[in-house]
Amino acid sequence: MQDLRWVQMSDGELHEFLGKGGTGIISFATESNNPPFTIPVSYGYDTDSATFYYRLAFPPESGKEDVVDNPVAFVTYNQVDERYQSVVATGHLEKVTNMPYDSAAIQRMWAIQIPMVDIFDRPPENISFRHFRLVPDTIAGRKEVKTQP
């Protein structure tokens, strides 16, 4: 049996792992007696600015409207070469939807690809979407490594 341990990723490894985007889980803080509001999301990532971008749906009564301004934690993970890697980022989402066309945030968002995942019970054109970014207050990546015998 292999002995494994977790170590921090370097910045280069972290950016390589995040690539241009993928999927993960975002959790919004709630009142102390309630669990976090957690949803699966797809994301885009800009390595130059270390910024995550999200396209969030706001169907009626989804609950996102009540928490979208709260602090968030975002987690993404994957198995690479038979070893797990993960990244956790925290901060606040910033609305990108209404930013000026020529703003750096909008230009960066258009330069990345946010994977489109259709999980709704109606056509996407009938659902209200908004764009957000996360410039992390904290970001850390970990990876599994095999220990020496």
Side-chain angles (χ1 to χ4, degrees):
M1 180 176 211
Q2 292 183 7
D3 290 322
L4 298 173
R5 65 184 177 98
W6 289 88
V7 298
Q8 293 289 344
M9 287 183 194
S10 68
D11 287 346
E13 290 171 324
L14 188 139
H15 293 311
E16 183 179 339
F17 171 75
L18 293 170
K20 296 217 177 271
T23 58
I25 304 291
I26 195 165
S27 295
F28 296 86
T30 59
E31 294 179 20
S32 62
N33 293 338
N34 295 324
F37 183 94
T38 303
I39 56 172
V41 293
S42 55
Y43 73 93
Y45 184 72
D46 177 57
T47 57
D48 293 337
S49 63
T51 301
F52 295 89
Y53 288 89
Y54 307 94
R55 179 179 172 256
L56 301 180
F58 283 81
E61 300 177 24
S62 71
K64 287 186 205 111
E65 205 65 63
D66 298 332
V67 297
V68 73
D69 293 326
N70 295 356
V72 300
F74 173 69
V75 178
T76 184
Y77 65 93
N78 204 348
Q79 192 173 13
V80 178
D81 297 329
E82 299 183 20
R83 302 235 168 57
Y84 281 98
Q85 297 181 353
S86 63
V87 171
V88 177
T90 64
H92 284 83
L93 293 185
E94 299 174 16
K95 293 175 185 156
V96 176
T97 302
N98 297 326
M99 288 185 176
Y101 172 82
D102 59 349
S103 71
I106 293 291
Q107 297 301 315
R108 285 192 172 111
M109 183 181 71
W110 286 338
I112 52 113
Q113 293 288 321
I114 300 173
M116 297 296 178
V117 179
D118 188 2
I119 57 170
F120 306 103
D121 59 355
R122 61 188 148 208
E125 59 270 9
N126 295 339
I127 296 175
S128 174
F129 288 93
R130 295 186 216 152
H131 292 91
F132 295 86
R133 72 177 179 170
L134 172 63
V135 180
D137 294 334
T138 65
I139 186 169
R142 295 182 353 153
K143 64 181 181 176
E144 279 183 329
V145 295
K146 187 175 18 171
T147 59
Q148 297 296 327

